[in-house]
Amino acid sequence: MHGRTPRSLLNYDGFFRWLANLPYADTEAAVAQDQVIAVTAATIEGDLIHFRFVSGNPREIPLLFDRQTGATMEARTPDNTWLAEATRVSVMPQDRLIFIENRRRGVSATSLERYFFRISTNRGYGPVDLDLDPLPALSLEREILDLSRIKEASIVVNRPNVDWNDASDVLSELAGDSKGKDAAVVIHAPRGESLSKEEGIISVIIGNIRRRLPNVRDMRVVGRREGETTDHTVSLQRHQLRVKAQVDDGAPAEEQDESVWVAVRRLAAEARLIVRGEAPAPEPDISLPPVSEPRTLQDTGDDDSPGS
């Protein structure tokens, strides 16, 4: 996480404890025309703060399907209620890590960024600007270096903390001199040739993803492996540090929470070592007993310094 207020770095622990202690009825905030987010559960467990968020569209009218007749009809929810989808999110404020359950129609990192800004502004904490960037898996660098010919490379970076000086590459220097919030660059190789893997943009990409808490928003490299005839795309989207959890959709909400938190604890132990520089980025063991639909937890983070 890269968090800041209008005046200083974000007090990560203070902010997330404040959110965890808000009355649930006061946590509702609109992040888009068709999406509202609220907190329905918050638990503090040592260094972790677990949240259960719900999201949905309060203006959406449910459509019911009659299996016997094939007819459809509109339904109404009770007053002051709306259809919601639950998403579990855990935070490790001291290490500036956040773990988000990846669900269809659930809460995404982008919608959480908007939510944290809206709820902090609406409820008197003061505006909080948070960037939630993925923590790369070790496989990302390997996949890039496995390419023998690179046709295209691109990277998007956010401002680390409040100052671009926390990063030390040519793209960050340009963004800092421009007083920008983010920066992007894309480079194409000449026809039939390859981009250098030792210098230039590939060097910038490798240097950024090697940081213990990168501020890389997105990146992709397109090229071919030795002996292959088709292009291969390597992206941060496909190579994030993550773990799979098995959740029984028919179980009570508290049991579903615990199924996710078991996986969070394992992923947090791996991620903490990485951001503290105590171990190389590992490939987490993702095997868990099958129960129902797998959910993916992804970990996002930012630069080298520990939380404030």
Side-chain angles (χ1 to χ4, degrees):
M1 293 182 287
H2 285 277
R4 56 195 78 84
T5 70
R7 293 177 300 278
S8 65
L9 286 171
L10 175 65
N11 179 338
Y12 296 90
D13 188 65
F15 171 68
F16 285 106
R17 287 180 182 270
W18 169 82
L19 180 59
N21 286 296
L22 270 184
Y24 297 147
D26 294 338
T27 62
E28 186 174 313
V31 298
Q33 288 186 343
D34 59 352
Q35 187 181 29
V36 172
I37 295 177
V39 176
T40 60
T43 302
I44 299 175
E45 179 193 312
D47 294 337
L48 284 164
I49 304 176
H50 303 293
F51 294 93
R52 188 197 311 135
F53 286 92
V54 293
S55 61
N57 182 359
R59 294 187 295 274
E60 184 178 6
I61 299 176
L63 188 65
L64 303 181
F65 174 70
D66 189 318
R67 301 170 76 178
Q68 291 184 323
T69 66
T72 58
M73 65 191 79
E74 291 184 349
R76 296 282 181 178
T77 58
D79 290 344
N80 296 316
T81 66
W82 40 273
L83 291 177
E85 181 78 19
T87 303
R88 283 84 183 174
V89 175
S90 298
V91 184
M92 189 178 283
Q94 293 84 352
D95 291 284
R96 295 165 60 176
L97 292 167
I98 185 166
F99 308 91
I100 305 169
E101 182 185 12
N102 184 15
R103 299 187 57 155
R104 289 194 299 279
R105 299 181 302 164
V107 174
S108 67
T110 300
S111 59
L112 276 177
E113 290 171 342
R114 296 188 187 120
Y115 175 79
F116 294 143
F117 178 81
R118 296 283 173 83
I119 197 67
S120 61
T121 303
N122 295 346
R123 295 301 175 188
Y125 188 91
V128 166
D129 181 19
L130 264 169
D131 291 323
L132 309 180
D133 301 319
L135 190 62
L138 183 63
S139 56
L140 179 59
E141 182 175 343
R142 287 203 310 264
E143 288 283 309
I144 294 172
L145 296 179
D146 278 348
L147 297 173
S148 59
R149 176 185 168 195
I150 298 175
K151 300 173 63 176
E152 175 188 324
S154 62
I155 184 171
V156 181
V157 293
N158 289 318
R159 182 178 62 199
N161 294 324
V162 294
D163 195 330
W164 283 101
N165 290 335
D166 285 355
S168 56
D169 58 78
V170 64
L171 181 58
S172 298
E173 290 175 9
L174 180 61
D177 291 343
S178 304
K179 303 188 184 305
K181 183 183 185 303
D182 52 52
V185 63
V186 56
I187 306 290
H188 297 92
R191 187 180 301 275
E193 298 183 26
S194 175
L195 298 177
S196 169
K197 288 198 285 187
E198 288 74 35
E199 298 179 302
I201 188 170
I202 298 300
S203 176
V204 169
I205 289 173
I206 296 296
N208 272 278
I209 65 177
R210 280 181 177 174
R211 299 178 68 200
R212 294 199 297 267
L213 273 169
N215 55 308
V216 180
R217 186 69 166 195
D218 193 17
M219 57 75 42
R220 67 193 296 265
V221 177
V222 181
R224 295 186 183 182
R225 301 187 185 102
E226 190 68 39
E228 294 186 350
T229 58
T230 57
D231 292 340
H232 176 66
T233 299
V234 181
S235 68
L236 180 57
Q237 181 67 27
R238 297 179 181 177
H239 294 273
Q240 301 176 36
L241 192 69
R242 63 183 77 204
V243 67
K244 288 186 178 179
Q246 301 292 338
V247 181
D248 183 354
D249 289 326
E254 291 75 14
E255 291 184 18
Q256 295 188 43
D257 292 345
E258 183 57 30
S259 296
V260 173
W261 294 347
V262 166
V264 165
R265 296 180 192 111
R266 295 168 54 219
L267 185 58
E270 303 278 10
R272 167 176 274 176
L273 292 177
I274 297 169
V275 301
R276 292 184 177 183
E278 298 173 4
E283 294 293 341
D285 175 15
I286 61 172
S287 57
L288 286 175
V291 179
S292 66
E293 178 188 357
R295 310 268 176 73
T296 301
L297 295 164
Q298 56 193 36
D299 163 36
T300 67
D302 62 317
D303 77 353
D304 296 39
S305 58
S308 58

